[in-house]
Amino acid sequence: MDKTPYCDRFELKSPAIEGGHGSGWWFDFRDPFHHEFKANVRKKLIERMDEIKDPWCFGFFVDNELNWGDDYFLAHITLNSSSSQPAKKEFMKFLKKRYKTTSGLNAKWGTDYKNWEDFMNRKLIPGEDSNVDCREFSKIVIDAYFKNINEVFKKVAPQKLYMGCRFAGGSREDVITIAAKHCDIISYNIYRYDLSQFKLPEGVDKPVIIGEFHFGTLDRGLFHPGLIGVENQIVRGQCYYNYVKSALENPYVVGTHWHQYTDQMVTGRFDGECLECGLTDVCNKPYEELIARIRDIGYKLYDIRSGK
C-alpha cells in the first residue's frame, strides 16, 4: 500500500585518505576535502530521488560503522598519504598558519623537514610532540566529514533527515559532539541486552536512532546465533521485548532497527557471515516466539513511552 514510514542508507565511494587504506572495519575513510566527496553525496541522493519525493521516506543513513581511531588517527593517516591528497594539503595550510615555516614546525614536533615540499612528499608519523596539532586536525577532518554531507542534504533533500553514520556500539565523545552539530539524528548500531546504560556525552541533546541490534539462538535455524546469542527462541523474544522497552524508557532514543528481516543465507553473505538473526528463517517461516513478543511490546509502545 506504500504507506509505511521507512529510511534508506548508502555508502560513499569517493576517494579515501590513502594513508589509511585497510584500516577501516568496512570501508576506508573518505577524504572530506576531496572535490569528489560532496559530488558523491549528491550523486547517491539523486539516485534515490523517488525516495526523496516519497513523503513516507523520512531520511538516510550515510556510511556505516566507520573507524574513527584514536585522537590522532585521522591526522596520522593523512600524514601517511601522498602529496596529492587533498586532506594533506589542508593539513599543510593548518600548520603553515600556526608555525609559518618548517623550522618552527620542526622545533615543535622534533622533525627535520627541509621545507613544505618536503613535508608534503614524506610519509612520516611524528612523535608525541605532534599530538596537540594532530588531535586538532583530526577534529577538523571529522567536522568537514559531517558538515559537507549535511550541506548536500540541505540542497538536494532538504525535507529528509540526515541520520548520521551508525556508530559501531559507540565512539569517542568528541566525534559524537561534532556529529551532533551537523546530523539531524545520531545513529548507533548497539548490540547489547538493553539500552539502560546508554547516554550521550555531556552537553549533547539530540535524538538517537538504533541502526542495528539482534539476538539469536541455536535451537532452530542456522548454526551461528549472531552477535548476541541466547538460550532459545523464548528467551530471544524476551530479549527483544527488554531491549525495545529500554529504548522506550530512554529519553534520547526515538527508534530501533532489528538486523535483519530474515536469517542470512545458508551459504553465507558476501563476507561469509551466516547468522540466525532474522524474524523469519530462510524458508520465510516466522519465529513465532519472537513475533509474539514483538506484537506484545508494539501494543504497549505509547504507554511505556508516556510512563503509564
Side-chain angles (χ1 to χ4, degrees):
M1 295 175 65
D2 291 330
K3 291 184 178 181
T4 301
Y6 67 94
C7 61
D8 199 357
R9 59 172 279 199
F10 57 85
E11 285 77 42
L12 299 180
K13 301 299 182 183
S14 57
I17 298 178
E18 63 184 52
H21 179 65
S23 62
W25 292 315
W26 294 111
F27 311 101
D28 291 340
F29 194 91
R30 308 298 166 184
D31 187 339
F33 301 105
H34 198 288
H35 70 274
E36 291 185 30
F37 183 85
K38 293 175 79 170
N40 195 243
V41 180
R42 176 181 172 83
K43 176 178 179 290
K44 295 291 185 178
L45 285 171
I46 288 178
E47 288 173 351
R48 292 157 176 81
M49 190 54 67
D50 287 347
E51 294 176 337
I52 291 174
K53 293 179 179 178
D54 184 355
W56 292 96
C57 176
F58 56 84
F60 299 88
F61 299 107
V62 181
D63 289 331
N64 182 57
E65 297 185 348
L66 296 174
N67 178 20
W68 301 96
D70 61 19
D71 290 351
Y72 325 108
F73 171 71
L74 293 173
H76 285 175
I77 66 173
T78 299
L79 290 169
N80 195 39
S81 299
S82 68
S83 60
S84 63
Q85 188 76 53
K88 194 168 188 178
K89 295 176 183 178
E90 290 294 322
F91 204 176
M92 181 179 69
K93 291 178 186 177
F94 169 79
L95 294 171
K96 273 187 174 181
K97 185 176 181 180
R98 177 160 291 182
Y99 297 106
K100 310 304 182 187
T101 67
T102 52
S103 296
L105 177 63
N106 289 336
K108 178 64 177 177
W109 282 19
T111 47
D112 60 351
Y113 296 115
K114 297 179 178 64
N115 48 46
W116 289 113
E117 183 179 3
D118 186 33
F119 169 84
M120 292 298 292
N121 287 331
R122 289 168 68 178
K123 297 181 179 181
L124 172 68
I125 307 300
E128 292 184 0
D129 290 338
S130 70
N131 282 356
V132 171
D133 294 323
C134 286
R135 181 189 296 113
E136 189 169 338
F137 184 73
S138 290
K139 290 183 179 181
I140 290 172
V141 176
I142 295 164
D143 187 78
Y145 169 84
F146 289 109
K147 177 176 179 287
N148 288 341
I149 294 173
N150 181 54
E151 286 180 354
V152 179
F153 263 76
K154 298 309 178 190
K155 292 178 180 178
V156 180
Q159 302 302 315
K160 304 303 176 186
L161 298 174
Y162 169 32
M163 299 167 58
C165 59
R166 309 206 307 174
F167 292 118
S171 190
R172 301 196 331 255
E173 289 196 355
D174 60 335
V175 178
I176 297 166
T177 300
I178 293 169
K181 292 166 47 183
H182 304 293
C183 298
D184 297 306
I185 296 179
I186 301 175
S187 52
Y188 295 80
N189 296 346
I190 298 181
Y191 288 88
R192 302 178 192 164
Y193 285 102
D194 61 57
L195 300 173
S196 58
Q197 301 302 311
F198 174 83
K199 62 180 181 179
L200 289 172
E202 186 72 27
V204 176
D205 185 9
K206 208 79 174 184
V208 169
I209 196 162
I210 303 302
E212 294 180 13
F213 78 103
H214 69 221
F215 304 97
T217 186
L218 298 176
D219 62 351
R220 296 204 302 276
L222 301 178
F223 304 109
H224 194 297
L227 299 184
I228 303 289
V230 298
E231 291 88 339
N232 54 54
Q233 296 296 333
I234 294 174
V235 176
R236 189 176 182 228
Q238 185 61 44
C239 285
Y240 179 99
Y241 184 99
N242 295 343
Y243 190 101
V244 174
K245 183 174 183 289
S246 72
L248 290 164
E249 292 170 340
N250 190 305
Y252 292 111
V253 181
V254 296
T256 61
H257 290 91
W258 176 268
H259 178 275
Q260 56 183 33
Y261 179 77
T262 190
D263 283 348
Q264 294 172 331
M265 64 185 76
V266 177
T267 53
R269 67 176 190 181
F270 67 93
D271 60 353
E273 187 173 284
C274 178
L275 308 181
E276 193 263 9
C277 60
L279 307 179
T280 71
D281 64 20
V282 293
C283 296
N284 209 34
K285 181 180 179 182
Y287 289 105
E288 295 180 1
E289 300 90 338
L290 174 60
I291 300 303
R293 296 303 272 159
I294 292 174
R295 289 182 180 275
D296 191 10
I297 193 73
Y299 286 125
K300 299 174 182 176
L301 288 176
Y302 295 104
D303 286 345
I304 295 172
R305 190 64 164 186
S306 63
K308 293 181 179 179

